[in-house]
Amino acid sequence: MSVKNSYRTFAITTAMMVLTGCGQQAVDVAVEPPMAVETVAETTAEYASSESVETETLQDTKFDITLAFAGDISFDDNSAVMQNYFAQGSVLSNVIDARYIEEMNQADLMWINNEFCYSLRGNPLPNKMYTFRANPEHVGMLQEMGVDVAGLANNHIYDFGKDAFLDTLDTLDGAGIPYVGAGHDLTEAMSPVYLEADGVTIAYVAACRAEKYKMTPQATETEPGILRCYDNTLFLKEIREADTKADIVVALPHWGTEYSTKLEEAQTVGAKQYIDAGADAVIGAHSHCIQGVELYNGKPIVYSLGNFWFNDKSLETMLVKLHVSGEKDLGADLHSAEDDTIQVEDIRLEILPGMQSGCATVMADGAEKERILHYIESISPAPIALEYTSDK
C-alpha cells in the first residue's frame, strides 16, 4: 500500500550535491533569435500559471500530523480522582489542566489507556486486590478529552467479569470511540485499528503482559478478552499485518513493574522486536510511573507513560506527541488513488511533562518542566534528547 523508509532526506541531499558540485563543465549554448513581445508575455503568463499549479500541488502533497498519547486513567466512581471530580462540580478542566485538554483535542489523533470497565453489571473478580468500574455515562469524559482510540489491553478491563467487559465494548462503540487490544473474540482482540489523518493511515496495535497471576483472560476463537504478549508470537504477527496496510504503526504494550523505573528485559528486548517487525513507535503503559525513553533504528520507544489521571498519588506524568511529517507521492496521475504512496520523512517525539497530585493533573512549567525532563533522561537506558528529529 505504501512506500516506507524511503530515505528522502538522503535523496534530496544527494541531488543538492550534484547541483552544487565542485567541478563545472563548459556547455555549448545555441543562441535563439529573440521572441516577439506578445510571445514573451504569453510564455511568461503560461510559466507563472504552471509554476503556481506546481507549487499548489507540492503544498498539497506535504503532510505534518500529530499523534498524542496519555497513560492510565480511571473513571471508577469510587476512586479518589472521580470523588474529586464530583467535588469540583464535575468540570473536567478543574481536575485535568485545560492546557492538556486543549493539546489532546488539537492532536490529529489521540490515544489513552482506559484502565477500567464501563458497566453497571458484574461482580469484582475473586481474589483481585484492586478492581475498577465506571458508570457508562462517564464515557463522555473521553469525548471531552478528544480521545480517538482507547487502549483496552490492560489488567483492569475485565475486573467485573464477562458481562461488564462486553458492556465496555458496547459503551465505546456507542460513543463512536474505537478500541484496541481487546474484543469479542481473538480475531477482534488482535486486529489493528486503522485511522486516517490528512491522508496518512495510522495503525494502532496493543497487547498486555502486566499480570504476575493472569486473571484477565486472553480472548479465544469463541470467548471475549484481551490480547496478551507474554509470548510475542501473536503480537508480532499483528504488527507485521499492520505494517503491510498502514503508513505508520504504533505498538502499545501494557507492561513493566508497577511504581518502578527499572525496565524489565521483556520491555527492552520486546520493544526492539516490535520495531523490527514494522512498528514505527512503541508507547508503553502500566507501571503507574513514567519510565525512560530510547531511540532504536531512529524510532522512538516510550517505555511507560505512567498515570495520567488515575489515583491520589503524587507522580510525574506526561502527554506524548509524535509529530510525523513527509510527502504524499501522487505519481504521474494526480487523480489516481492507486498511484498514491506515503513517504514518511521525519518522526519527532515531544514530551509535555506534568504532575498527577491531589487527585488532579497539571502540566508543568518552567523549572518544574525542566526537572521532569531531566528526570526522564536520567532513567532512560541511554543518553537522549527529549525533543529530537529522526529520519526514517
Side-chain angles (χ1 to χ4, degrees), residues 203-241:
Y204 294 85
V205 295
C208 179
R209 53 161 297 124
E211 294 175 309
K212 183 178 180 181
Y213 303 104
K214 301 181 183 70
M215 303 182 74
T216 306
Q218 172 158 293
T220 69
E221 293 182 2
T222 58
E223 288 295 318
I226 65 170
L227 177 66
R228 292 175 177 167
C229 58
Y230 297 90
D231 177 339
N232 278 318
T233 302
L234 292 178
F235 196 32
L236 291 172
K237 180 181 179 181
E238 181 184 7
I239 293 170
R240 294 187 185 102
E241 175 192 338

Side-chain angles (χ1 to χ4, degrees), residues 55-218:
T55 301
E56 183 177 341
T57 302
L58 286 174
Q59 289 175 344
D60 289 344
T61 65
K62 295 290 185 180
F63 69 86
D64 189 348
I65 62 174
T66 300
L67 312 178
F69 304 84
D72 307 339
I73 57 165
S74 175
F75 298 161
D76 179 271
D77 290 272
N78 297 314
S79 66
V81 290
M82 282 299 290
Q83 290 300 308
N84 186 46
Y85 171 75
F86 298 139
Q88 298 295 327
S90 299
V91 177
L92 190 63
S93 59
N94 287 343
V95 292
I96 297 178
D97 197 316
R99 293 173 296 174
Y100 270 141
I101 296 173
E102 182 179 8
E103 290 283 355
M104 297 162 90
N105 278 278
Q106 287 183 347
D108 291 286
L109 293 171
M110 173 67 208
W111 177 94
I112 202 163
N113 180 45
N114 194 110
E115 189 128 1
F116 57 91
C117 59
Y118 295 95
S119 184
L120 299 177
R121 301 193 294 166
N123 296 301
L125 291 183
N127 302 317
K128 190 162 191 180
M129 185 175 297
Y130 301 106
T131 54
F132 306 113
R133 179 179 59 178
N135 189 312
E137 293 179 356
H138 298 334
V139 74
M141 297 170 70
L142 288 188
Q143 295 168 323
E144 286 188 69
M145 293 180 185
V147 172
D148 297 290
V149 55
L152 301 189
N154 61 61
N155 54 306
H156 287 293
I157 202 66
Y158 209 93
D159 277 358
F160 282 75
K162 180 177 177 178
D163 288 341
F165 176 84
L166 294 175
D167 287 345
T168 302
L169 306 187
D170 290 342
T171 299
L172 290 167
D173 280 337
I177 299 174
Y179 51 82
V180 63
H184 295 83
D185 53 34
L186 183 58
T187 298
E188 183 182 11
M190 64 179 294
S191 293
V193 168
Y194 298 100
L195 299 178
E196 188 174 295
D198 196 16
V200 180
T201 301
I202 296 93
Y204 294 85
V205 295
C208 179
R209 53 161 297 124
E211 294 175 309
K212 183 178 180 181
Y213 303 104
K214 301 181 183 70
M215 303 182 74
T216 306
Q218 172 158 293

Side-chain angles (χ1 to χ4, degrees), residues 9 280 295-300 323 325 344-349 387-392:
T9 301
D280 297 291
L295 273 181
Y296 174 68
N297 288 345
K299 299 179 180 181
H323 300 280
S325 59
V344 176
E345 298 171 353
D346 182 75
I347 300 178
R348 184 169 63 88
L349 172 68
E387 292 191 22
Y388 57 84
T389 298
S390 63
D391 296 325
K392 291 271 290 181

